[in-house]
């Protein structure tokens, strides 16, 4: 069997009532990646459920997830979805304050092209449809595009 280059997930929708469930899901993603020899994870948005604000228990659950990812030794690319934004047109997300705090997690707030696993990969966090079209028209292109669509 070929080893997958990345193991991705999306739409965890963490809220106060499901923090432990989401942590179990992420642990399962980590375990799967390690068991198959994959060292890269991709989180594709909507980790949060609420667009209005995040409760302390949810923020602590997020911190626990980031700590699990760091301890795993896997590298994680993480983009935001529409539920991670306070407004659809917001240039920052609920992930933004955590940028740079975890060496093995790259929080991506804007269209980004980079080399990963020997391929040119683009990451495009959620944007309005008009913004997505404009972004893609101005991009260099890539072998793979990871994004979050409403």
């Amino acid at each position: 069997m070929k080893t997958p280059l990345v193991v991705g997930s999306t739409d965890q929708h963490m809220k106060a009532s499901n923090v432990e469930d989401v942590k179990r899901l992420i642990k399962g993603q980590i375990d799967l990646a390690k068991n198959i020899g994959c060292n890269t994870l991709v989180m594709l948005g909507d980790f949060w459920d609420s667009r209005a604000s995040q409760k302390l228990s949810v923020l602590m659950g997020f911190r626990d997830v980031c700590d699990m990812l760091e301890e795993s030794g896997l590298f994680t690319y993480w983009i935001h979805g529409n539920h991670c934004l306070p407004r659809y047109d917001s240039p920052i997300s609920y992930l933004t304050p955590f940028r740079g705090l975890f060496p093995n997690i790259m929080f991506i707030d804007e269209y980004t092209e980079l080399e990963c696993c020997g391929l040119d990969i683009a990451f495009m966090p959620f944007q309005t449809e008009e913004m997505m079209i404009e972004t893609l028209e101005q991009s260099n292109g890539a072998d793979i595009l990871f994004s979050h669509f409403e």
Side-chain angles (χ1 to χ4, degrees):
M1 175 178 115
K2 287 178 88 172
T3 301
L5 299 175
V6 300
V7 174
S9 67
T10 187
D11 292 278
Q12 290 83 15
H13 289 277
M14 185 183 268
K15 53 189 171 192
S17 64
N18 72 356
V19 169
E20 293 305 315
D21 292 334
V22 171
K23 287 165 55 175
R24 272 192 299 279
L25 288 171
I26 301 303
K27 179 163 182 350
Q29 182 179 359
I30 291 167
D31 291 345
L32 172 63
K34 285 182 156 191
N35 288 336
I36 62 175
C38 177
N39 61 7
T40 306
L41 302 178
V42 176
M43 308 295 274
L44 294 170
D46 281 4
F47 183 82
W48 316 99
D49 189 60
S50 173
R51 289 184 192 105
S53 64
Q54 305 307 324
K55 292 186 176 187
L56 183 57
S57 62
V58 174
L59 291 172
M60 295 306 295
F62 175 76
R63 176 62 192 244
D64 291 344
V65 165
C66 290
D67 288 341
M68 287 188 326
L69 291 168
E70 281 295 305
E71 290 167 11
S72 75
L74 304 174
F75 192 84
T76 303
Y77 295 97
W78 201 322
I79 65 172
H80 63 253
N82 54 309
H83 280 247
C84 303
L85 298 170
R87 298 182 330 269
Y88 270 26
D89 61 348
S90 178
I92 61 172
S93 76
Y94 291 116
L95 300 172
T96 305
F98 300 95
R99 289 181 72 182
L101 297 179
F102 302 95
N104 288 337
I105 303 173
M106 178 184 230
F107 295 107
I108 300 170
D109 284 332
E110 60 189 16
Y111 181 87
T112 301
E113 294 175 1
L114 49 87
E115 189 277 330
C116 172
C117 310
L119 298 169
D120 292 324
I121 297 183
F123 294 91
M124 185 168 56
F126 176 81
Q127 301 175 11
T128 62
E129 185 175 348
E130 297 80 24
M131 292 167 65
M132 283 185 165
I133 291 168
E134 183 179 326
T135 297
L136 290 173
E137 286 175 347
Q138 295 174 8
S139 73
N140 293 325
D143 298 311
I144 297 174
L145 170 64
F146 288 112
S147 190
H148 182 92
F149 301 92
E150 195 172 11

